[in-house]
């Protein structure tokens, strides 16, 4: 799993490398120390052996030295040189302190490096039991002999160290893999498999219930974090849902206020026309009852009635159209159900419901949508998206929309079973920092003007969650803004 990454560096391998580097350094030093100890021990053993040889040949050697019996000394030396640890023997007289006898094994050179000697003084007792110094005997040996003695032990030690190292390598690799690499892989797989939408269904990490080590604490901490995250996400989803509903209600409230104001004018004019019609009718009735009505007055009445009736019909038709549009949009915004609708006609209805706000600005809105596009989708989501986008343009894109001229264009086209909706304005645009944060909840550049920072976040959630689509934003300072919305739909 980890090895799939080209730049992966295993903690286990790094730890193993450090462990083995220190282990081999310690092993080398201990082996060298052991060799030195063995070497000196073997050298001491040789000296002990030479001491024993001196004791064995002590009496014959003393007699030969007292008698100056060279043949006897030669015989004793030949016997001593037969021993593998002795390469040479030298005798020194007590009076001259000069070598007066020596004998060496073949090819022995005492000046060669590695040669060492062991010297013993020879004493004898006289008739008075007094110790008399006769001379000195010097035995020669070589470090090669010592090395030959140590070589076997050193070979055994070296083979033992290599065998132990091999066993330790296998044990360390198994232990690191069993207790470190595998648990870490398990934790990593669990982390990679976490689905934020289904945290409650995620299986908790379990390493080894019988032990309490750093990894088990890590797994428990991760499981606790997932539980807390699940709770936080549930709270966030509920809060988001409440905020969305609240935003819908605010939007509906603004729409109600706008439509009420829009309806007030035609209804008021119709009411005025009806009142004038009633007054004229009463006046004509009074003239008729008094038999004082002329033909011209009757014709004038009919002319006025025709004009008033036409005016009342026009204003009531306009009011009915506004009410019908409001009813469609309001019902859709308060419902999450899908239905079939004509896209252009529905966007016209949305713009009509926003007419009261738009008529106070110098912003022109253009729809470039084929009148034949009929889809089966969530009209409430479309209404909320378009309303929030237009509101965002009026507040942020055209800060002084009452005096600043501007254009908003909405395009739509079908591509197989997907709808591509483009929303574009030529307002002041955004810098890169604002563009990165535009869909973040509660982010707004108009906090001082009462902006909540929820409008574009709701647009993002409606597009991605409700409509299962995508939304991209393109903008540069002074270059306006463009929202590219791609939505899967049922085409009819």
């Amino acid at each position: 799993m980890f090895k799939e990454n080209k730049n992966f560096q295993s903690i286990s391998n790094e730890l193993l490398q450090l462990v083995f580097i220190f282990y081999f350094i310690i092993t080398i030093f201990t082996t060298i120390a052991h060799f030195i100890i063995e070497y000196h021990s073997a050298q001491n053993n040789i000296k002990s052996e030479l001491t024993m040889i001196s004791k064995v040949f002590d009496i014959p050697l003393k007699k030969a030295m007292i008698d100056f019996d060279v043949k006897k000394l030669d015989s004793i030396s030949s016997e001593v040189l037969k021993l593998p640890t002795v390469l040479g023997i030298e005798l020194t007289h007590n009076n001259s302190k000069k070598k007066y006898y020596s004998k060496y094994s073949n090819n022995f050179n005492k000046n060669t490096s590695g040669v060492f000697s062991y010297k013993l003084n020879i004493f004898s007792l006289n008739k008075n039991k007094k110790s008399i110094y006769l001379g000195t005997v010097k035995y020669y040996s070589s470090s090669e002999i010592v090395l030959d003695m140590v070589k076997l032990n050193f070979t055994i030690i070296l083979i033992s160290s290599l065998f132990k190292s091999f066993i330790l390598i296998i044990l360390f690799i198994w232990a690191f893999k069993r207790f470190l690499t595998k648990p870490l892989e398990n934790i990593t797989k669990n982390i990679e498999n976490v689905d934020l939408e289904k945290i409650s269904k995620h299986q908790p990490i379990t390493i080894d219930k019988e032990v309490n080590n750093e990894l088990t604490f890590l797994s428990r901490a991760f499981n606790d974090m997932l539980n807390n995250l699940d709770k936080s996400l549930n709270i966030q989803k509920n809060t988001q849902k409440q905020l969305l509903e609240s935003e819908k209600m605010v939007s509906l409230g603004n729409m109600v206020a706008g439509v009420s104001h829009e309806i007030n004018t035609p209804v008021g004019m119709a009411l005025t026309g009806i009142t004038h019609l009633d007054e004229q009718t009463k006046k004509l009735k009074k003239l008729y009852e008094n038999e004082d009505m002329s033909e011209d007055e009757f014709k004038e009445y009919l002319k006025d009635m025709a004009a008033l009736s036409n005016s009342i019909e026009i204003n009531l038709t306009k009011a009915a159209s506004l009410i019908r549009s409001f009813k469609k949009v309001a019902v859709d915004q308060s419902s999450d159900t899908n239905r079939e609708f004509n896209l252009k006609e529905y966007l016209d209805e949305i713009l009509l419901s926003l007419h009261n706000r738009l008529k106070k600005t110098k912003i022109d809105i253009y729809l470039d949508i084929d009148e034949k596009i009929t889809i089966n989708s969530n009209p409430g989501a479309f209404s909320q998206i378009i309303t929030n986008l237009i509101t965002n343009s009026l507040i942020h894109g055209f800060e002084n929309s009452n005096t600043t001229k501007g254009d908003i264009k909405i395009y739509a086209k079908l591509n197989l079973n997907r709808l591509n909706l483009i929303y574009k304005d030529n307002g002041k645009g955004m810098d890169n920092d604002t563009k990165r944060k535009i869909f973040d909840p509660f982010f707004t550049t108009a906090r001082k003007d009462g902006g909540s920072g929820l409008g574009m976040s709701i647009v993002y959630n409606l597009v991605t969650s409700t409509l299962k689509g995508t939304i991209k934003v393109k903008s540069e300072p002074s270059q306006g803004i463009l929202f590219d919305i791609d939505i899967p739909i049922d085409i009819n």
Side-chain angles (χ1 to χ4, degrees):
M1 173 185 174
F2 293 133
K3 294 180 181 178
E4 295 174 359
N5 192 317
K6 293 181 180 178
N7 298 322
F8 171 69
Q9 292 182 339
S10 172
I11 296 176
S12 298
N13 290 343
E14 290 183 0
L15 289 174
L16 282 171
Q17 288 175 6
L18 287 174
V19 168
F20 289 130
I21 286 171
F22 285 113
Y23 171 76
F24 284 125
I25 290 173
I26 293 170
T27 301
I28 289 170
F29 277 107
T30 53
T31 303
I32 292 173
H34 196 86
F35 174 77
I36 293 171
I37 292 170
E38 284 288 324
Y39 181 85
H40 287 290
S41 177
Q43 204 172 40
N44 291 330
N45 288 337
I46 290 175
K47 290 180 180 181
S48 299
E49 186 177 337
L50 293 175
T51 303
M52 291 296 297
I53 292 170
S54 297
K55 290 180 179 180
V56 170
F57 293 97
D58 183 58
I59 295 174
L61 190 61
K62 287 178 182 179
K63 186 176 181 186
M65 289 179 70
I66 293 171
D67 297 336
F68 292 100
D69 189 346
V70 177
K71 289 184 179 181
K72 187 68 173 177
L73 288 174
D74 193 56
S75 175
I76 293 171
S77 298
S78 297
E79 292 298 321
V80 172
L81 289 175
K82 289 179 181 179
L83 298 172
T85 56
V86 182
L87 297 177
I89 184 171
E90 291 180 354
L91 295 174
T92 304
H93 197 270
N94 62 336
N95 293 327
S96 62
K97 295 185 178 180
K98 291 183 179 180
K99 179 176 67 175
Y100 74 91
Y101 177 81
S102 63
K103 191 171 185 177
Y104 309 100
S105 61
N106 295 333
N107 301 323
F108 172 72
N109 184 357
K110 64 180 181 180
N111 295 319
T112 305
S113 61
V115 173
F116 63 91
S117 61
Y118 184 65
K119 186 167 59 174
L120 291 170
N121 293 323
I122 306 297
F123 295 91
S124 178
L125 297 177
N126 59 14
K127 295 179 180 180
N128 298 321
K129 302 298 182 180
K130 185 178 179 179
S131 180
I132 300 172
Y133 173 65
L134 298 177
T136 301
V137 61
K138 184 185 289 186
Y139 299 99
Y140 285 95
S141 187
S142 173
S143 57
E144 292 182 0
I145 296 173
V146 179
L147 288 174
D148 288 337
M149 295 176 66
V150 174
K151 190 180 295 183
L152 180 60
N153 288 338
F154 180 73
T155 303
I156 294 172
I157 293 169
L158 185 61
I159 293 173
S160 175
S161 297
L162 291 173
F163 180 74
K164 286 189 292 184
S165 299
F166 178 73
I167 297 298
L168 281 174
I169 288 172
I170 294 175
L171 288 175
F172 271 119
I173 292 173
W174 174 82
F176 273 85
K177 190 172 182 179
R178 167 68 176 80
F179 297 104
L180 183 62
T181 304
K182 285 292 184 183
L184 284 176
E185 283 187 352
N186 184 27
I187 293 173
T188 305
K189 284 180 181 178
N190 274 271
I191 293 173
E192 288 179 346
N193 293 332
V194 172
D195 185 353
L196 294 179
E197 298 296 327
K198 302 176 181 178
I199 291 181
S200 58
K201 297 181 180 180
H202 185 77
Q203 293 296 324
I205 299 175
T206 54
I207 296 178
D208 193 340
K209 296 180 180 179
E210 297 181 358
V211 297
N212 281 325
N213 55 28
E214 291 86 346
L215 291 176
T216 54
F217 276 98
L218 176 62
S219 64
R220 290 170 191 167
F222 177 74
N223 293 333
D224 291 340
M225 181 194 71
L226 286 184
N227 292 332
N228 294 331
L229 184 59
D230 185 36
K231 294 177 183 177
S232 299
L233 285 175
N234 287 332
I235 294 172
Q236 184 181 6
K237 286 179 181 178
N238 292 332
T239 304
Q240 185 178 349
K241 187 176 180 181
Q242 292 172 3
L243 288 172
L244 181 59
E245 292 300 321
S246 176
E247 190 73 10
K248 283 183 180 180
M249 293 302 104
V250 170
S251 179
L252 283 173
N254 292 334
M255 191 188 303
V256 169
V259 171
S260 297
H261 188 274
E262 286 288 302
I263 293 174
N264 187 55
T265 300
V267 170
M269 291 182 67
L271 182 60
T272 300
I274 292 172
T275 302
H276 185 62
L277 176 64
D278 184 59
E279 290 177 353
Q280 290 297 99
T281 302
K282 287 179 179 179
K283 183 179 178 181
L284 184 66
K285 181 181 178 183
K286 188 175 181 180
L287 290 173
Y288 175 77
E289 288 175 348
N290 294 333
E291 297 181 353
D292 196 19
M293 181 179 66
S294 65
E295 184 179 352
D296 291 337
E297 287 175 329
F298 183 69
K299 288 180 179 180
E300 184 68 22
Y301 171 78
L302 291 177
K303 182 180 178 181
D304 289 343
M305 292 307 101
L308 286 171
S309 296
N310 186 52
S311 175
I312 291 168
E313 182 182 4
I314 290 172
N315 282 289
L316 289 178
T317 300
K318 184 178 180 181
S321 177
L322 285 169
I323 292 170
R324 184 171 58 254
S325 298
F326 167 73
K327 181 180 178 182
K328 282 185 180 179
V329 176
V331 169
D332 286 334
Q333 283 200 13
S334 61
S335 173
D336 287 329
T337 56
N338 288 9
R339 68 175 176 84
E340 183 180 309
F341 60 94
N342 182 280
L343 185 62
K344 187 176 186 304
E345 289 180 2
Y346 190 68
L347 293 187
D348 283 330
E349 301 282 358
I350 296 171
L351 296 180
L352 184 60
S353 68
L354 296 172
H355 181 262
N356 182 63
R357 183 167 187 177
L358 293 172
K359 73 179 182 179
K360 299 175 184 177
T361 70
K362 293 187 177 182
I363 308 301
D364 294 321
I365 299 180
Y366 302 94
L367 295 181
D368 185 6
I369 300 173
D370 191 340
E371 295 181 354
K372 297 180 181 179
I373 296 179
T374 300
I375 60 176
N376 192 318
S377 188
N378 189 314
F382 275 86
S383 173
Q384 191 77 16
I385 290 168
I386 298 300
T387 300
N388 283 7
L389 289 177
I390 292 174
T391 302
N392 190 70
S393 291
L394 296 181
I395 295 175
H396 302 285
F398 310 102
E399 287 183 329
N400 299 313
S401 56
N402 293 339
T403 58
T404 304
K405 290 185 177 181
D407 295 329
I408 295 174
K409 297 180 180 180
I410 303 174
Y411 308 89
K413 61 180 179 179
L414 291 175
N415 183 15
L416 298 178
N417 62 335
R418 301 190 74 86
L419 175 70
N420 184 228
L421 189 68
I422 304 294
Y423 177 94
K424 181 180 180 182
D425 72 31
N426 61 351
K428 68 175 187 178
M430 299 181 296
D431 56 30
N432 288 331
D433 186 56
T434 303
K435 188 165 59 178
R436 281 194 301 269
K437 300 177 182 177
I438 188 171
F439 297 124
D440 293 350
F442 305 107
F443 172 75
T444 178
T445 57
R447 186 79 63 190
K448 63 181 185 302
D449 299 323
S452 65
L454 290 172
M456 296 310 299
S457 175
I458 288 173
V459 168
Y460 180 82
N461 286 322
L462 286 171
V463 171
T464 58
S465 297
T466 304
L467 299 179
K468 308 299 181 185
T470 60
I471 180 169
K472 299 176 183 177
V473 59
K474 298 178 182 177
S475 182
E476 297 291 339
S478 304
Q479 299 297 318
I481 191 170
L482 182 146
F483 291 98
D484 186 348
I485 301 172
D486 187 70
I487 302 167
I489 46 91
D490 292 331
I491 304 171
N492 295 292

